[in-house]
Amino acid sequence: MARRHQYHQPNAPDSPGDGSDSDIQLDIDELGPNDDEDGDEDDASSTWDHNSLDTRIPLRSLRATHTRRFGIQRDNDAYREGEQTAAMHHLSGGRDSDGTMEDSAPLLEASNGSITTRKSSPGGWRQSSLRLAEFFSSTPDGPPTTSPETQDSSLTGTSRNITIGQDPPPRFPPNAVSNAKYTAWSFLPRTLYNEFSFFFNMYFLLVALSQLIPPLRVGYVSTYVFPLLFVLSITLGKEALSDIARRRRDAEANRGPYTILRLRDPMGTSRRKDKRKEYVGGKNPTRRGRSNTSSSHPNRLDVIEEEEEIVGHNGKESKPAIEVDELTIRARDIKVGDVVKLGKDQRVPADLVILKSFAAESGLVTYPYRPRQESLPNLSNGEAGSNSQTSGSALTTPVPPTETSLELGNLSGGTEAGGTGEAFLRTDQLDGETDWKLRLASSLTQSLEPWEFSRLRIVAGRPSKKVNEFVGMIECMPRSDPQNNSGARQDRSSQKALTAPLTIDNTAWANTVLASNVTVLAVVVYTGAQTRQAMSTTPPRSKTGLLDCEINDLTKILCALTLTLSIVLVALEGFENREEMKWYIAITRFLILFSTIIPVSLRVNLDMGKSVYARFIERDQGISGTVVRTSTIPEELGRIEYLLSDKTGTLTRNEMELKKIHVGTVSYANEAMDEVNSYIRQGFVTGPADDVLEPSSLVTPSSSFHTPSAGNQTTRTRREIGSRVRDLVLALALCHNVTPTAEEEDGQSFTTYQASSPDEIAIVRWTEQVGLRLVHRDRKSITLQSVETSRVVVRVRIREIFPFTSEGKRMGAILQFLQGEASATPSVGDAGEIWFYQKGADTVMTSIVAANDWLDEETANMAREGFRTLVVGRRKLSTQQYLDFSARYKEASLSLQNRDARMARVVKEHLESSLELLGVTGVEDKLQKDVKPSLELLRNAGIKIWMLTGDKVETARCVAVSAKLVSRTQYIHTITKLTPETPAASALDALSLLRSKPDSTALLIDGDSLSYFLSHHRWEFISVAVLLPAVIACRCSPTQKADVAYLIRQFTKKRVACIGDGGNDVSMIQAADVGVGIVGKEGRQASLAADFSITSFHHLTKLLVWHGRNSYKRSAKLAQFIIHRGLIISVCQTMYSIAAHYEPNALYRDWLLVGYATVYTMAPVFSLVLDKDVDEGLASLYPELYKELTNGQSLSYRTFFVWVAISIYQGSIIQGLSQILVGSVDSPQMVSVSFTVLVINELIMVACEVVTWHRFMVASLLGTMVIYIGSIPFLGGYFDLAYVWSLAFAWRVAAISAISLIPPYSVKILRRTLKPPSYRKVQGI
């Protein structure tokens, strides 16, 4: 295809640098490109380096060149139809066949002879478009503007380049969430590997394959193959259904709708070949108001006149326009480089860099939208209006505002109303921190219009799992100076690209939530598996229960016994004395005959039992809403010894409430807050109460406190206390970084508060409740209003703000109080009192406030109550003191080295000394329902509880105390601020106290210290920590949480459960033996990735103590009976083989062998999954019953060998006495007696083991006996039916059954009497 003309090309060549007039010295090659040039150049371009827009070439100058080709994007067939027709189509502002509009603007000049274009997207769609002016210019001195394909992190190794509006390279992962364990290709290999990694499955596979060899065949092949296939089908089916359910949940999350802004150049090219469909409707509608027919083209002369009007008298024209489409797509379709539009309470779908933020209520802007005329300063009013009108009619097709109104807010820039550039994020689902994070748009992009975003390029670091770090740079391509009227093009080399650094403050990571009432425009930098949240999440693993591992070990023992027995039987006959078959074939046949010792039905019954337990859990109304997502490990709930819990949203609701204040002489809490309210009403009386129109005066800290008339002494006392209360409330209402915002819901307006800390919001809400409302705050001032009178009572000017830091543990502000009437407009030169307010943790404020005798005692009392304490103080500054401080502070802020330390030193020297102590506040972080009794019950059950949180040390300490995670008698040993430079001896000394008193000491450790121990003293730390009753780890990253869970599992070999509610807990949940997710108001990430999903923390106690205990004990009893059932028939086979001269022949053939393990015994044995030794009330009342299970006594080597002994005894009695009493070794009479006793023995053994009868148990026992008796007439091929109905048969069966059952049961009764089990003790039996 011939190369396109340079008309309307974004990278048109520059004009000659000699200042010659471009209209005169027009290069012919610019207008008529040679046909023999490389046509691929048209498609290969990916850069958008737009040239400046100064001098233009009027179309009238090119009338003689109408036979040249014009740069319409079309194929070769369009050229053959006639160049003049194409030219007319182009000049008339028509649209080509793909729907792209060709603008009727003047030609652009070439810059360097290279032409780079991008094809427009055929069939493109837009819901509403914005035709806006755009300036692009190359930056020869700066980095070249290239596509992401040529400058990506894969080339540099450390960074990626993102040009907004361009297609990302295909190596960037899709933005899809996936919690699935398998893919279509990996499902069978992985599941089969997991299944055959169990010894007994591999054993049965070998046994089944052996039946394909004729010398080894001992029965029907189906007898051995079908049970194995059935087991595999059940297991693989459950795994497939579970994974399909995960994929459906993932698909639901990936279908979430998001709005993106698509930047598109209507002048024949498209910014990106975007074929994504709109989410709503699922179709790709065509653009509105566009025509492809040539009959709609206006006359060429009209177009030329119209163009000359656009150019104007001074050769200027309107800026080349691009269109901004607002497109709603699915979350999974978001790509790197997309500009995403987010609103309040919307979850961030990918890792973003914030470009622009503005108030959500700042208004509607309708498309099409043109830049304000102030951006064309050289146009007169008349010209501006003319040009604007002409441009609008010539360049755009008007679209009804009702169809194209978009809530983009105020797009005029960062300095105007609504363009604050600020946004608050909730990150607790990412890092576990409850504080809201303040995020800022870069100053370079906040003032840009959305249509100018295509000038931006972002350099971002390689994907990382560090959620608190980001290094990047943003570059804005320059635009030409529109004021240059000389007609000569400005030298491009003099223009520089603007750059600005990007930090963590400019980002919004995936899975965070926009908390503030603003609209944010942000560009996607990382998607899918490369987001911080995904990289901090460990891949899901297939979890295997401890009971399965123990049974696998027991089957190895049984196999060893079987092999030994087979060799012994062959050896007794003699290896050389066998004529019919070789000795090794005989051994193999014995192994196959004894394979029933390891019954294939064991896995089937256990898996079916787990499904029953899962159904019991989900149908329990006491823990309604619980979902079992992994049904293979319910019995693991009964073996938990370590519980790792998140704090925010798990133990607490993250709802703060100020519960108590203390002003030195008196404290207020609960109902006493009404007295505080009365003091505030009296303290902020600023005018006549009966005349709301009367101007009120502003209150300052020096204003007198008004009290009702009473006795002098009483009035003086109330005045002193009331003044103290007023000063404390005033300080709390002013010393913060809370911003009030007005919102509307259901037609009613109300005020909400936004801040980086929920503590501060709780305090400001409390000041409103007691009568002082925050009504306005910006970076320069704060305004307070009386709730009772709705009058403004306090106005302050913010002089300095000292924000809270983890190191400083305090925040402060220098405020200047305005005086005079509240209705007066404050003047810049207004003088007023200057006060320094500060609040912070008692550990640092004690040395800052003036000497007192009550602070330490009161803060200790509040801490014991579980409150988060804040000490509040103030200091009055003279004007000279403030000026001196301000000069020193500014000087320190300009330091290039140790800036923060120098600034802190100035604050300490000038402000933080002898502050007047105003009072102490106690803020409660509301706990989840029944957290305190739940934690106490779990501790009594022998479970050691660790709290892993991303929150601050002080916050975690308060919650641990208030939730009774740490008892009053336990000492909290704190380890913080350990760094890699810390000497090893010092770090190990910190563990020495814990080692000396492990039972009465709890550990509180921060993330840095935990990272130090995990890296340098891993085993020393964990060996001490696992002995402690409680461990609190603060400032933990998601990866650290997972590491701790894995380390406990690896060191102790005990069962570890992890519970959380946020996306930052997913790694920990998946690393645990049992992961429990809470469905919280912040999202479902944890619950979707967990094995068990609950709705509240207190449901965990019933899940563990009741359902977990029952599941484990039932599975243990079920496994023992199935092993007993297989052992006893194998012992009978052994006795038969010995009596038959050691020949490897089967005692029970075909149906008898299959029917014994299925129809005749399966239902009664499986009914044991309904058994329970205690009821739910006793299990909760005596959690010590749960503690007994952690050592695995229900299924241990001791209990296993007890059942082996019982099986050997009963099998020997049944087969031996059958052969003796019948008088035959191999006859139908002996088989009928032996098999009947075998079935009766198993049924009665089940009945003897039942503790609590269920109607299904009775029905299964009686039903099975009826089925067996009814099937006897059909067993003529195996039994002597005439003998079965004789009296001789009956008494032999009764005698043998009594001898096999009475001794074992007698021993059981005797043992239960001498040493009763715990469940009988609590029942009083």
Side-chain angles (χ1 to χ4, degrees):
M1 186 169 75
R3 191 181 65 175
R4 295 178 51 182
H5 195 279
Q6 294 161 3
Y7 182 62
H8 288 163
Q9 292 310 304
N11 289 316
D14 280 331
S15 61
D18 56 4
S20 60
D21 186 90
S22 58
D23 281 329
I24 300 173
Q25 299 186 11
L26 180 64
D27 188 358
I28 298 300
D29 290 337
E30 292 177 15
L31 302 178
N34 296 329
D35 292 343
D36 57 356
E37 294 189 27
D38 187 5
D40 294 337
E41 193 172 359
D42 178 61
D43 296 334
S45 169
S46 59
T47 63
W48 282 83
D49 189 6
H50 287 237
N51 53 325
S52 50
L53 302 176
D54 37 20
T55 305
R56 306 291 172 164
I57 305 174
L59 292 179
R60 182 169 51 187
S61 302
L62 301 179
R63 290 175 183 172
T65 64
H66 63 275
T67 57
R68 294 190 179 95
R69 293 176 181 172
F70 287 81
I72 306 171
Q73 181 176 333
R74 59 185 182 267
D75 55 18
N76 291 332
D77 294 336
Y79 281 104
R80 298 190 187 101
E81 292 177 2
E83 296 176 346
Q84 292 185 353
T85 302
M88 292 295 294
H89 172 77
H90 181 81
L91 290 175
S92 61
R95 296 168 178 83
D96 59 358
S97 59
D98 66 357
T100 304
M101 180 177 180
E102 291 296 340
D103 201 354
S104 56
L107 291 175
L108 306 182
E109 297 188 47
S111 59
N112 53 12
S114 65
I115 299 175
T116 55
T117 62
R118 179 181 293 275
K119 287 186 178 181
S120 62
S121 177
W125 173 87
R126 60 187 176 94
Q127 182 182 7
S128 54
S129 59
L130 176 60
R131 290 288 309 275
L132 301 172
E134 177 186 28
F135 293 94
F136 290 98
S137 60
S138 62
T139 56
D141 295 338
T145 303
T146 58
S147 66
E149 291 88 334
T150 58
Q151 287 191 14
D152 191 61
S153 58
S154 62
L155 299 180
T156 63
T158 58
S159 64
R160 61 172 59 180
N161 292 351
I162 302 168
T163 303
I164 297 179
Q166 291 192 4
D167 285 317
R171 53 182 162 270
F172 288 164
N175 192 51
V177 177
S178 177
N179 289 305
K181 293 182 180 180
Y182 312 103
T183 65
W185 299 105
S186 66
F187 175 74
L188 279 178
R190 288 186 59 185
T191 52
L192 291 177
Y193 174 81
N194 292 334
E195 289 303 307
F196 290 116
S197 62
F198 287 98
F199 175 79
F200 56 85
N201 281 346
M202 180 59 70
Y203 177 80
F204 286 123
L205 176 64
L206 295 177
V207 170
L209 293 177
S210 69
Q211 297 306 290
L212 301 178
I213 304 175
L216 301 180
R217 188 174 301 165
V218 295
Y220 294 130
V221 176
S222 58
T223 305
Y224 297 91
V225 174
F226 285 169
L228 178 63
L229 293 178
F230 180 73
V231 170
L232 294 179
S233 300
I234 293 294
T235 306
L236 268 64
K238 290 177 59 178
E239 284 293 310
L241 291 176
S242 299
D243 212 50
I244 290 173
R246 292 189 189 94
R247 289 185 175 275
R248 288 176 177 172
R249 294 190 295 267
D250 292 340
E252 181 182 353
N254 293 329
R255 283 196 300 265
Y258 285 90
T259 300
I260 67 167
L261 301 185
R262 183 178 60 178
L263 307 180
R264 185 171 47 80
D265 185 358
M267 296 181 292
T269 56
S270 175
R271 291 293 296 164
R272 67 190 299 173
K273 299 177 181 179
D274 200 340
K275 298 182 180 180
R276 291 172 288 183
K277 295 183 179 180
E278 184 195 13
Y279 176 68
V280 180
K283 296 182 179 180
N284 196 15
T286 58
R287 300 172 183 171
R288 300 188 184 96
R290 300 198 171 187
S291 173
N292 298 337
T293 61
S294 59
S295 61
S296 63
H297 299 161
N299 184 275
R300 177 181 177 188
L301 295 179
D302 294 337
V303 175
I304 294 174
E305 292 175 359
E306 187 175 289
E307 184 273 341
E308 289 179 342
E309 290 180 1
I310 297 174
V311 174
H313 300 288
N314 55 1
K316 288 191 152 308
E317 83 247 36
S318 64
K319 305 174 185 180
I322 68 167
E323 293 182 350
V324 178
D325 296 349
E326 186 176 273
L327 191 65
T328 301
I329 64 174
R330 296 177 175 88
R332 67 188 181 197
D333 295 329
I334 293 175
K335 299 180 180 179
V336 172
D338 280 338
V339 178
V340 181
K341 176 187 172 185
L342 298 174
K344 183 181 180 183
D345 293 331
Q346 194 167 10
R347 191 168 298 278
V348 179
D351 285 357
L352 312 176
V353 167
I354 298 176
L355 301 177
K356 190 180 184 69
S357 171
F358 47 88
E361 66 272 9
S362 55
L364 293 175
V365 174
T366 59
Y367 292 162
Y369 175 82
R370 302 294 301 173
R372 295 171 299 159
Q373 293 302 327
E374 291 86 332
S375 63
L376 303 175
N378 286 343
L379 293 177
S380 64
N381 292 337
E383 292 169 341
S386 174
N387 286 346
S388 177
Q389 183 179 2
T390 305
S391 175
S393 62
L395 299 180
T396 63
T397 300
V399 183
T402 57
E403 298 180 1
T404 59
S405 297
L406 293 180
E407 297 181 4
L408 282 179
N410 187 349
L411 304 181
S412 58
T415 61
E416 300 183 7
T420 61
E422 297 179 352
F424 283 103
L425 297 178
R426 293 199 302 266
T427 64
D428 50 341
Q429 298 297 294
L430 180 67
D431 55 19
E433 297 188 23
T434 57
D435 294 353
W436 289 6
K437 303 298 187 302
L438 176 63
R439 293 294 185 256
L440 305 170
S442 174
S443 58
L444 189 62
T445 61
Q446 176 63 25
S447 59
L448 295 179
E449 306 291 352
W451 55 269
E452 293 183 287
F453 289 164
S454 51
R455 295 168 49 201
L456 301 175
R457 187 182 68 173
I458 292 176
V459 181
R462 63 168 48 181
S464 170
K465 64 174 64 176
K466 298 179 180 179
V467 297
N468 295 318
E469 294 182 13
F470 177 73
V471 177
M473 182 187 71
I474 191 166
E475 183 178 22
C476 183
M477 297 295 105
R479 53 186 177 187
S480 62
D481 183 6
Q483 302 183 21
N484 184 2
N485 302 325
S486 62
R489 186 172 303 277
Q490 183 182 6
D491 186 8
R492 304 275 299 266
S493 63
S494 63
Q495 302 178 19
K496 301 284 186 180
L498 300 177
T499 60
L502 295 175
T503 65
I504 187 65
D505 294 331
N506 308 118
T507 62
W509 296 144
N511 211 31
T512 59
V513 178
L514 183 61
S516 51
N517 189 25
V518 297
T519 297
V520 168
L521 303 180
V523 61
V524 179
V525 290
Y526 306 111
T527 54
Q530 293 183 348
T531 61
R532 294 298 201 269
Q533 189 265 344
M535 296 189 70
S536 299
T537 303
T538 56
R541 62 184 181 91
S542 297
K543 296 183 179 181
T544 302
L546 182 59
L547 183 69
D548 292 332
C549 296
E550 291 171 345
I551 292 176
N552 194 52
D553 293 338
L554 296 180
T555 55
K556 294 177 183 179
I557 297 176
L558 291 176
C559 183
L561 292 176
T562 303
L563 178 61
T564 302
L565 183 60
S566 301
I567 295 174
V568 168
L569 290 178
V570 174
L572 291 176
E573 176 68 15
F575 291 103
E576 302 297 335
N577 296 332
R578 293 185 173 273
E579 299 179 357
E580 297 181 359
M581 64 183 68
K582 300 292 185 182
W583 62 268
Y584 52 84
I585 295 179
I587 293 176
T588 305
R589 286 176 61 91
F590 271 123
L591 279 173
I592 297 171
L593 290 174
F594 295 148
S595 64
T596 53
I597 291 181
I598 312 172
V600 69
S601 59
L602 175 61
R603 187 64 184 273
V604 176
N605 281 269
L606 289 178
D607 286 347
M608 292 175 58
K610 293 173 182 180
S611 299
V612 173
Y613 309 149
R615 184 169 178 81
F616 286 162
I617 293 173
E618 292 182 340
R619 298 187 64 182
D620 190 339
Q621 296 301 316
I623 52 174
S624 59
T626 300
V627 179
V628 179
R629 304 196 188 279
T630 305
S631 60
T632 58
I633 55 172
E635 68 279 347
E636 293 298 282
L637 294 170
R639 310 285 294 275
I640 302 301
E641 293 192 49
Y642 291 90
L643 175 65
L644 276 57
S645 173
D646 180 41
K647 179 186 74 67
T648 305
T650 303
L651 298 179
T652 69
R653 304 180 192 175
N654 198 23
E655 298 176 2
M656 309 298 175
E657 182 180 0
L658 194 148
K659 303 288 288 186
K660 187 176 183 180
I661 64 170
H662 197 287
V663 294
T665 56
V666 63
S667 64
Y668 298 92
N670 302 323
E671 292 81 6
M673 290 298 180
D674 295 336
E675 189 172 352
V676 175
N677 200 339
S678 65
Y679 283 133
I680 296 304
R681 287 198 302 268
Q682 299 166 18
F684 289 93
V685 175
T686 59
D690 56 350
D691 189 359
V692 295
L693 300 178
E694 184 71 18
S696 60
S697 59
L698 297 174
V699 176
T700 68
S702 301
S703 300
S704 59
F705 184 84
H706 303 280
T707 57
S709 57
N712 293 336
Q713 184 63 34
T714 304
T715 302
R716 185 164 52 251
T717 302
R718 286 188 59 83
R719 185 184 302 115
E720 292 175 356
I721 296 176
S723 179
R724 280 177 169 271
V725 172
R726 184 195 67 175
D727 291 342
L728 176 61
V729 174
L730 181 61
L732 294 175
L734 293 173
C735 186
H736 54 70
N737 56 15
V738 180
T739 302
T741 59
E743 296 188 6
E744 185 173 339
E745 184 175 341
D746 298 332
Q748 296 182 351
S749 299
F750 59 94
T751 301
T752 60
Y753 298 108
Q754 300 171 2
S756 61
S757 172
D759 299 61
E760 294 201 321
I761 294 179
I763 291 174
V764 172
R765 283 177 177 165
W766 177 82
T767 62
E768 181 179 4
Q769 292 173 3
V770 298
L772 198 58
R773 178 187 293 126
L774 174 68
V775 293
H776 173 76
R777 184 215 172 91
D778 55 30
R779 297 185 180 182
K780 299 297 183 182
S781 64
I782 299 176
T783 302
L784 303 180
Q785 181 187 73
S786 172
V787 175
E788 183 182 21
T789 64
S790 297
R791 290 175 171 174
V792 173
V793 292
V794 177
R795 274 202 180 105
V796 298
R797 183 176 292 117
I798 301 174
R799 293 301 185 185
E800 293 288 349
I801 289 288
F802 311 103
F804 179 90
T805 62
S806 300
E807 295 76 19
K809 300 179 183 178
R810 58 192 183 275
M811 73 88 58
I814 298 178
L815 308 174
Q816 183 175 19
F817 286 80
L818 302 182
Q819 299 174 339
E821 294 184 356
S823 59
T825 302
S827 173
V828 177
D830 285 346
E833 302 175 11
I834 300 177
W835 288 81
F836 169 62
Y837 287 96
Q838 191 171 57
K839 65 181 181 182
D842 58 289
T843 54
V844 296
M845 292 295 292
T846 302
S847 60
I848 295 176
V849 299
N852 61 88
D853 58 355
W854 59 271
L855 178 60
D856 293 340
E857 180 182 358
E858 186 57 33
T859 53
N861 292 336
M862 288 189 180
R864 279 192 291 270
E865 295 180 58
F867 295 148
R868 306 164 75 163
T869 58
L870 280 177
V871 180
V872 186
R874 70 177 181 179
R875 177 181 177 183
K876 189 174 183 179
L877 302 177
S878 65
T879 303
Q880 187 59 43
Q881 286 177 319
Y882 170 70
L883 293 176
D884 292 343
F885 162 78
S886 182
R888 290 284 309 279
Y889 192 71
K890 183 177 182 180
E891 179 184 353
S893 66
L894 298 177
S895 302
L896 298 179
Q897 296 180 349
N898 300 324
R899 178 183 300 174
D900 294 340
R902 293 186 180 185
M903 293 169 67
R905 190 182 308 118
V906 172
V907 173
K908 185 175 183 62
E909 293 174 355
H910 288 75
L911 303 177
E912 294 180 338
S913 61
S914 301
L915 267 62
E916 176 189 355
L917 177 58
L918 296 179
V920 181
T921 65
V923 177
E924 179 188 43
D925 187 356
K926 293 183 180 179
L927 299 175
Q928 293 280 5
K929 180 182 177 182
D930 295 336
V931 162
K932 294 180 183 179
S934 298
L935 291 177
E936 183 179 1
L937 188 148
L938 293 175
R939 275 199 305 270
N940 293 335
I943 299 175
K944 294 180 173 64
I945 304 171
W946 291 38
M947 185 173 75
L948 309 180
T949 176
D951 227 326
K952 299 185 290 291
V953 174
E954 293 79 10
T955 304
R957 183 193 297 269
C958 292
V959 172
V961 173
S962 63
K964 300 296 187 279
L965 178 63
V966 178
S967 64
R968 294 178 179 270
T969 59
Q970 291 175 348
Y971 166 73
I972 300 178
H973 182 60
T974 305
I975 300 177
T976 58
K977 298 180 180 179
L978 294 184
T979 63
E981 292 75 22
T982 303
S986 175
L988 295 177
D989 287 343
L991 299 176
S992 59
L993 177 62
L994 299 173
R995 194 180 298 274
S996 61
K997 299 180 179 180
D999 296 330
S1000 60
T1001 306
L1003 172 63
L1004 177 62
I1005 187 171
D1006 65 355
D1008 293 337
S1009 303
L1010 179 62
S1011 178
Y1012 173 81
F1013 279 119
L1014 294 180
S1015 301
H1016 297 85
H1017 306 287
R1018 192 177 186 90
W1019 297 112
E1020 292 85 348
F1021 169 76
I1022 198 63
S1023 63
V1024 175
V1026 294
L1027 302 176
L1028 304 177
V1031 176
I1032 304 101
C1034 317
R1035 295 294 184 186
C1036 286
S1037 67
T1039 304
Q1040 283 181 322
K1041 292 183 179 183
D1043 289 343
V1044 170
Y1046 176 77
L1047 187 59
I1048 296 176
R1049 290 177 48 226
Q1050 186 181 26
F1051 181 81
T1052 64
K1053 308 300 181 183
K1054 305 294 185 181
R1055 299 291 95 178
V1056 177
C1058 293
I1059 181 171
D1061 74 316
N1064 62 310
D1065 303 316
V1066 171
S1067 296
M1068 174 180 70
I1069 287 173
Q1070 292 179 340
D1073 296 298
V1074 177
V1076 182
I1078 296 180
V1079 181
K1081 58 185 178 182
E1082 301 299 338
R1084 299 188 301 165
Q1085 291 78 15
S1087 66
L1088 292 178
D1091 304 307
F1092 301 88
S1093 173
I1094 60 179
T1095 58
S1096 181
F1097 181 84
H1098 74 280
H1099 290 171
L1100 181 66
T1101 57
K1102 189 174 184 179
L1103 190 65
L1104 297 182
V1105 175
W1106 175 241
H1107 290 288
R1109 183 176 183 275
N1110 286 340
S1111 298
Y1112 172 61
K1113 289 186 70 67
R1114 290 166 175 171
S1115 290
K1117 184 178 292 187
L1118 180 63
Q1120 290 169 343
F1121 257 92
I1122 294 175
I1123 292 175
H1124 166 264
R1125 186 178 63 188
L1127 269 173
I1128 193 172
I1129 197 173
S1130 297
V1131 172
C1132 292
Q1133 174 68 47
T1134 303
M1135 297 294 294
Y1136 171 75
S1137 298
I1138 293 174
H1141 305 288
Y1142 309 104
E1143 291 296 327
N1145 297 322
L1147 170 62
Y1148 307 120
R1149 297 177 180 275
D1150 306 330
W1151 167 249
L1152 293 183
L1153 192 63
V1154 175
Y1156 172 74
T1158 56
V1159 178
Y1160 301 144
T1161 60
M1162 182 175 179
V1165 172
F1166 186 73
S1167 68
L1168 292 174
V1169 300
L1170 303 175
D1171 193 20
K1172 56 184 179 181
D1173 53 2
V1174 295
D1175 58 24
E1176 182 181 341
L1178 286 176
S1180 300
L1181 185 61
Y1182 298 99
E1184 292 79 8
L1185 293 174
Y1186 182 90
K1187 189 175 182 179
E1188 294 181 346
L1189 305 183
T1190 56
N1191 54 14
Q1193 290 184 356
S1194 296
L1195 182 62
S1196 61
Y1197 287 116
R1198 187 184 68 83
T1199 59
F1200 168 72
F1201 284 111
V1202 167
W1203 279 100
V1204 169
I1206 293 175
S1207 301
I1208 293 175
Y1209 167 77
Q1210 291 183 334
S1212 301
I1213 292 297
I1214 292 173
Q1215 185 61 28
L1217 291 181
S1218 296
Q1219 294 175 172
I1220 294 174
L1221 294 180
V1222 174
S1224 173
V1225 174
D1226 189 7
S1227 66
Q1229 293 85 354
M1230 187 276 299
V1231 172
S1232 60
V1233 171
S1234 173
F1235 190 80
T1236 302
V1237 173
L1238 194 64
V1239 172
I1240 294 175
N1241 180 86
E1242 194 66 20
L1243 298 182
I1244 296 178
M1245 285 292 293
V1246 170
C1248 293
E1249 288 296 320
V1250 173
V1251 178
T1252 304
W1253 284 91
H1254 189 276
R1255 60 178 181 272
F1256 179 77
M1257 296 179 177
V1258 178
S1260 64
L1261 286 171
L1262 296 179
T1264 299
M1265 198 64 209
V1266 170
I1267 290 174
Y1268 176 70
I1269 295 174
S1271 66
I1272 289 178
F1274 302 96
L1275 301 178
Y1278 310 100
F1279 293 174
D1280 184 349
L1281 298 181
Y1283 179 75
V1284 169
W1285 305 115
S1286 65
L1287 182 62
F1289 172 83
W1291 75 260
R1292 286 179 173 82
V1293 168
I1296 297 173
S1297 299
I1299 296 174
S1300 67
L1301 289 169
I1302 292 177
Y1305 187 73
S1306 301
V1307 174
K1308 178 181 179 180
I1309 295 297
L1310 180 63
R1311 183 176 178 276
R1312 182 183 297 175
T1313 303
L1314 297 178
K1315 189 179 179 181
S1318 298
Y1319 74 87
R1320 296 182 65 85
K1321 293 180 182 178
V1322 299
Q1323 288 177 332
I1325 300 177

